[in-house]
Amino acid sequence: MRVDRPHPGEELNDGEVTEPRQAASLILLRDSPEGPEVLLVQRNPAQRFMGGAWVFPGGAVHAEDTDHAAAGVRELLEEAGIALPAGAEVVSWSRWITPEEVKVRFDTWFFVAEAPPGAEPT
């Protein structure tokens, strides 16, 4: 895929291909009387990369994370204040790798989970 111009907050890479950073995102779903709901969080508008964008909770995999799913669960707690109960089902959904043409790259695994009863993001 050829990128002619970067998306907002992205820079084109003119040199060596950047190794993508390992990352995970968690798509939290719940039923409501109006239909399904999906949790999104807004990135800090001051951030250089995708500032102000609405995204699934997620971020870099840390050394203490046991795997990508654990990283997604940790990021959900950090970014939205929602803890999944022990034994909650976290299902692998997709994997996206940022194109080689941009400087900031991620190798992101996406997971899906059901919101705990009464969960409200903070």
Side-chain angles (χ1 to χ4, degrees), residues 98-117:
T98 311
E100 293 179 355
E101 289 86 3
V102 295
K103 286 184 181 179
V104 178
R105 297 186 65 216
F106 297 95
D107 179 353
T108 306
W109 289 84
F110 290 85
F111 298 89
V112 178
E114 183 178 1

Side-chain angles (χ1 to χ4, degrees), residues 3-46:
V3 178
D4 293 323
R5 63 178 182 203
H7 292 283
E10 290 182 343
E11 298 176 44
L12 288 180
N13 185 6
D14 294 328
E16 291 288 320
V17 173
T18 305
E19 184 70 25
R21 187 172 185 187
Q22 293 297 305
S25 288
L26 201 141
I27 302 166
L28 194 66
L29 304 172
R30 73 177 174 195
D31 288 327
S32 80
E34 292 79 31
E37 295 180 340
V38 179
L39 176 68
L40 295 174
V41 294
Q42 187 176 26
R43 291 179 54 85
N44 182 331

Side-chain angles (χ1 to χ4, degrees), residues 28 30-31 37 39 76-77 79-83 115-122:
L28 194 66
R30 73 177 174 195
D31 288 327
E37 295 180 340
L39 176 68
L76 174 67
L77 180 59
E79 294 185 2
I82 297 175
E120 291 297 327
T122 57

Side-chain angles (χ1 to χ4, degrees), residues 64-96:
E64 66 271 12
D65 294 324
T66 55
D67 57 24
H68 284 79
V73 170
R74 175 185 50 75
E75 289 286 342
L76 174 67
L77 180 59
E78 289 177 4
E79 294 185 2
I82 297 175
L84 292 182
E89 186 176 15
V90 177
V91 178
S92 179
W93 177 64
S94 187
R95 179 183 183 194
W96 297 357

